[in-house]
Amino acid sequence: MGVRKVALAGVIAGAYIAVTLLFAPLSYGMVQIRISEALTLLPFLFPEAIPGLFAGCLLANFAGGFGLPDVIFGSAATLAAAVLTARMPTVFLAALPPVLINMVVVGGYLSVLLEVPLLLSMLYVGAGESVACFLLGIPLVLMLQRRMKKGGKFPAR
Amino acid sequence: MKFLNHLTFGQYIPAESPVHTLDPRAKILSVLVLLTGIFLVRHPLAFIPWGLLLAGLTALSRLPFSMVLRSAKPVLILVIFTSLIHIFFTDGRPLIDLRIVVVTREGVTMAVYMGLRLLFLVLFASFLTLTTKPMELSDGLERLFSPLVPLGFPAHELAMMMTIALRFIPTLLDETDRILKAQLARGASFDRGGIWKRLKAFLPVLIPLFVIVFARAEDLATAMESRNYRGGEGRTRMNPLRWTGADTAALGGILLFVALLFLADRRFLS
């Protein structure tokens, strides 16, 4: 992995953590929406975001949440979703892997951890993740894409 | 909108304690063992020795007890929510019968058990971040992942990314704060309106943030290249990790404690 890739992935990881820390989840009734989850669509635009999101998620999970199950399974789910998102042909399909994988994996271990019905915890995770990815992630990617087209790439890049 | 000016990543509290000076690898592995031990607890009474261990570790780490308890705050709502589910939806001998809802003896036991299990999981996990500097944590993870390097796992690159992330969190927090204030000055509102309106308000924050991310990454890459950074091979450290007898003793002690508790739980309580 080249220096530039490592640097970009590292700063993306930092941005993921900063956004996670700065914006507490928006609660909307039962559904919790994490703003930082919208960033899981970034691998669609930049492959460097794959390791970046994994490293960011790993560190963010160390700092808060349920501890080890989150660190191991949550980060692995983020990595798997990021790899798939990067390979999706359209931005709308790119939002599917993070929603589906987190729903199954995070919903799955929350169900075991909290001993609540699997369907309930999958619904809980899936709803929040869908809102973050579809309503915030897709517009984010589209706007970044438009900006990249306009200026070739980002002005600073 | 609250601005989190004093936000620091992780919750590291500097102190001169035997726990703080342990090798990060020993602490990561010990927490792994402790959390597995908590998963194996079957009876609510078995949490009493775990509580004593928590108090003991807190004293040994010279941490204020309130600081340790505070780390459970983010999951408190989830703990209450799951406890309520268990209280109302567990079958068994009725304790309170209100016709529509029946609270059972088993439900209450289950709620206490689940609540305690979750709390202990979070509290013990927090020791790692309370007593270990984030940089040490990323060094420790790099060393723990290093056996996977021959399989193609980029352990060094991952640790470097984490180090970069940790270095840039305060910078990016500041930048995000600045963007937020700029948007607020233009009349943006992040906590009013329906869900779509609230989410849409975050877009003008995230886009400039990413422009900054790319600018910073570019500068950083140039700085690293000009300092001849070429990856992990042959790189030396300013503070190399050293595994000592104290680390072996700490990990061994934790293993022994968890094993004894597991046996006691199965033999006398379950």
Side-chain angles (χ1 to χ4, degrees):
Chain A
M1 208 184 270
V3 177
R4 258 151 229 283
K5 276 191 182 170
V6 172
L8 183 56
V11 186
I12 289 180
Y16 177 86
I17 300 169
V19 175
T20 308
L21 288 178
L22 207 55
F23 305 124
L26 276 185
S27 289
Y28 208 75
M30 263 291 295
V31 181
Q32 291 234 312
I33 304 150
R34 278 164 206 281
I35 302 295
S36 53
E37 283 304 301
L39 306 188
T40 55
L41 262 75
L42 287 176
F44 180 72
L45 293 178
F46 324 102
E48 294 89 346
I50 301 175
L53 286 177
F54 176 64
C57 192
L58 201 70
L59 281 174
N61 284 341
F62 257 116
F66 277 118
L68 235 53
D70 259 350
V71 170
I72 297 172
F73 301 112
S75 312
T78 302
L79 180 65
V83 169
L84 289 176
T85 296
R87 281 154 204 236
M88 288 290 151
T90 68
V91 63
F92 296 98
L93 287 175
L96 278 180
V99 173
L100 293 179
I101 291 182
N102 278 308
M103 202 169 122
V104 174
V105 177
V106 180
Y109 74 72
L110 277 187
S111 151
V112 175
L113 214 64
L114 310 173
E115 294 191 22
V116 288
L118 180 65
L119 210 65
L120 187 78
S121 68
M122 273 171 54
L123 220 66
Y124 176 77
V125 176
E129 198 74 19
S130 307
V131 176
C133 290
F134 282 101
L135 293 187
L136 189 59
I138 291 178
L140 176 71
V141 166
L142 290 175
M143 281 172 90
L144 284 174
Q145 222 169 12
R146 206 178 311 148
R147 226 192 141 102
M148 281 161 81
K149 265 186 202 146
K150 228 196 287 178
K153 283 207 167 174
F154 270 121
R157 222 185 169 200
Chain B
M1 184 101 218
K2 231 178 1 186
F3 287 101
L4 307 165
N5 289 329
H6 306 292
L7 219 147
T8 47
F9 176 69
Q11 316 130 300
Y12 177 68
I13 300 172
E16 298 236 344
S17 84
V19 182
H20 281 73
T21 49
L22 283 178
D23 188 292
R25 288 167 291 177
K27 283 188 262 188
I28 296 171
L29 293 175
S30 300
V31 166
L32 210 76
V33 173
L34 284 172
L35 299 191
T36 315
I38 295 172
F39 269 110
L40 295 173
V41 171
R42 286 278 165 83
H43 198 280
L45 279 181
F47 281 119
I48 296 172
W50 281 97
L52 293 176
L53 179 69
L54 186 79
L57 274 178
T58 313
L60 200 64
S61 323
R62 305 215 173 98
L63 295 171
F65 201 60
S66 58
M67 222 49 190
V68 178
L69 286 181
R70 205 177 294 168
S71 55
K73 224 168 109 187
V75 291
L76 214 57
I77 292 175
L78 206 57
V79 169
I80 294 170
F81 173 67
T82 39
S83 295
L84 285 179
I85 287 188
H86 287 293
I87 284 189
F88 292 118
F89 296 102
T90 309
D91 293 328
R93 286 168 292 169
L95 202 64
I96 305 166
D97 195 343
L98 298 171
R99 282 177 197 279
I100 317 163
V101 278
V102 181
V103 175
T104 62
R105 202 177 286 266
E106 284 78 2
V108 174
T109 315
M110 192 66 186
V112 171
Y113 166 73
M114 288 308 301
L116 283 176
R117 185 162 98 163
L118 266 177
L119 277 180
F120 277 114
L121 275 176
V122 176
L123 290 175
F124 276 104
S126 75
F127 266 104
L128 188 60
T129 42
L130 282 170
T131 62
T132 318
K133 283 185 198 138
M135 286 296 180
E136 287 178 354
L137 205 64
S138 104
D139 276 356
L141 282 174
E142 178 180 355
R143 292 293 292 274
L144 285 176
F145 279 134
S146 59
L148 297 175
V149 172
L151 302 172
F153 187 83
H156 169 75
E157 282 83 354
L158 194 68
M160 179 49 87
M161 277 175 224
M162 288 200 241
T163 309
I164 294 173
L166 291 168
R167 157 65 186 82
F168 275 93
I169 291 164
T171 314
L172 291 170
L173 278 174
D174 274 351
E175 300 278 15
T176 317
D177 193 53
R178 228 161 39 107
I179 302 167
L180 276 171
K181 281 179 180 150
Q183 292 298 338
L184 282 176
R186 291 173 175 83
S189 156
F190 298 98
D191 44 11
R192 256 172 288 161
I195 193 74
W196 173 231
K197 206 173 163 194
R198 275 206 266 174
L199 281 175
K200 227 168 55 176
F202 282 103
L203 277 174
V205 178
L206 294 178
I207 302 277
L209 178 67
F210 274 92
V211 176
I212 292 166
V213 162
F214 282 102
R216 296 277 177 173
E218 189 65 28
D219 290 349
L220 176 69
T222 309
M224 285 164 83
E225 270 174 351
S226 59
R227 283 166 181 78
N228 218 1
Y229 170 83
R230 280 162 302 160
E233 234 163 280
R235 201 158 175 259
T236 52
R237 293 178 177 282
M238 192 172 167
N239 301 309
L241 297 181
R242 274 199 198 90
W243 186 280
T244 61
D247 299 305
T248 313
L251 186 57
I254 296 280
L255 268 169
L256 191 69
F257 174 85
V258 170
L260 285 177
L261 264 192
F262 174 70
L263 290 177
D265 186 351
R266 292 301 137 101
R267 184 122 195 200
F268 303 113
L269 294 171
S270 300

